[in-house]
Amino acid sequence: MLDGFLGKLKILPFSQSDNVQAALPSGPPFIAQFNPESFSVATELEYAQEDPAHGDDGEEAKFKCIKPQQYSFDFLIDGTGASGEKKEVLLEIELFKATVGFFGPIHRPRFLMLSWGTFVANCVLETYTINYKLFKSDGTPLRAVISATFKEHKPKLLKELLKNLGSPDLTHSHEVLDKEHLWWVCHKEYDATKYYIHVAEKNKLNNLRRLKNGKRLYLPPIEK
């Protein structure tokens, strides 16, 4: 019985977004009656594209960010007992809503953790649809599928850490490639060529046009 519980996909609710793994759940977990046969993870990249000047064919699509991932699952609830496990369909749906839905004390839906085997994700509910499939003679549903989409949520502290680790404003280095120019290195690292003088001074370069292949340049913090 316990092995079956541990192997099931679970949704755990939390009232705070930080330190979810270390916090205690703030409500009842939702445990899938059946593990999904499949699920999808969607990743979207966002680009900024300026309107082209008159007469131009177009402008470069400049990368902005990677949007939060989306996770989509279908949860089957079976109340017929055909599988050997009988559930009250309407009760299971209410349990799902209680786990993922609006929570009064924080005035918003709870933060969630999806956990299934090696898959663990911090997220919030984005949408869900309930599809009723089989009914008793009085109209009570005997089977339903909850199709739910969750949006990845990074706690603020983790988000800031990842942002800082990827920031060009941190001091780091770059190994010069063959025939690479300093202005191009600055364009790639700082998204602006105007900092090449600053980088040249920090690296005590005498020649800005000819960089030695394999030379390591140190890229200092820039006050933008």
Side-chain angles (χ1 to χ4, degrees), residues 187-206:
H187 173 72
K188 289 193 297 182
E189 298 297 331
Y190 300 109
D191 197 26
T193 60
K194 63 183 180 180
Y195 300 116
Y196 74 96
I197 295 294
H198 184 67
V199 174
E201 290 176 349
K202 293 295 182 181
N203 287 272
K204 298 180 180 180
L205 298 178
N206 295 322

Side-chain angles (χ1 to χ4, degrees), residues 15 21 46 49 68 72 80 83 88 112-113 115-116 144 169 188 215 219:
S15 59
Q21 283 85 353
E46 184 175 358
Q49 190 164 1
S72 298
T80 66
S83 64
E88 291 294 331
L112 306 171
M113 178 192 289
S115 176
W116 182 25
D169 289 333
K188 289 193 297 182
K215 179 178 176 59
L219 305 171

Side-chain angles (χ1 to χ4, degrees), residues 52-203:
H54 182 68
D56 288 348
D57 293 333
E59 293 289 334
E60 176 188 2
K62 295 184 178 180
F63 175 73
K64 286 181 64 178
C65 66
I66 300 176
K67 291 186 175 181
Q69 289 186 324
Q70 289 183 325
Y71 313 108
S72 298
F73 291 87
D74 287 340
F75 302 102
L76 172 63
I77 304 173
D78 181 39
T80 66
S83 64
E85 182 182 12
K86 186 175 181 180
K87 294 282 188 177
E88 291 294 331
V89 173
L90 294 179
L91 176 60
E92 287 298 303
I93 291 173
E94 290 305 313
L95 287 174
F96 175 82
K97 292 178 181 179
T99 299
V100 305
F102 189 87
F103 186 45
I106 59 175
H107 307 290
R108 56 158 295 150
R110 289 180 172 95
F111 302 96
L112 306 171
M113 178 192 289
L114 300 178
S115 176
W116 182 25
T118 58
F119 174 80
V120 178
N122 293 335
C123 57
V124 291
L125 177 71
E126 191 166 44
T127 64
Y128 71 89
T129 302
I130 303 173
N131 185 11
Y132 300 97
K133 290 181 171 290
L134 190 64
F135 304 88
K136 296 180 181 178
S137 58
D138 63 358
T140 303
L142 283 171
R143 189 172 291 157
V145 174
I146 303 175
S147 299
T149 300
F150 304 88
K151 178 177 288 187
E152 178 187 22
H153 169 77
K154 287 188 176 74
K156 185 177 180 180
L157 293 177
L158 175 60
K159 187 175 181 180
E160 289 299 319
L161 176 61
L162 294 175
K163 180 180 177 182
N164 289 337
L165 288 175
S167 171
D169 289 333
L170 290 179
T171 300
H172 56 288
S173 62
H174 171 80
E175 184 175 334
V176 176
L177 303 177
D178 187 32
K179 298 181 180 179
E180 196 170 35
H181 293 280
L182 184 60
W183 67 268
W184 177 240
V185 173
C186 292
H187 173 72
K188 289 193 297 182
E189 298 297 331
Y190 300 109
D191 197 26
T193 60
K194 63 183 180 180
Y195 300 116
Y196 74 96
I197 295 294
H198 184 67
V199 174
E201 290 176 349
K202 293 295 182 181
N203 287 272

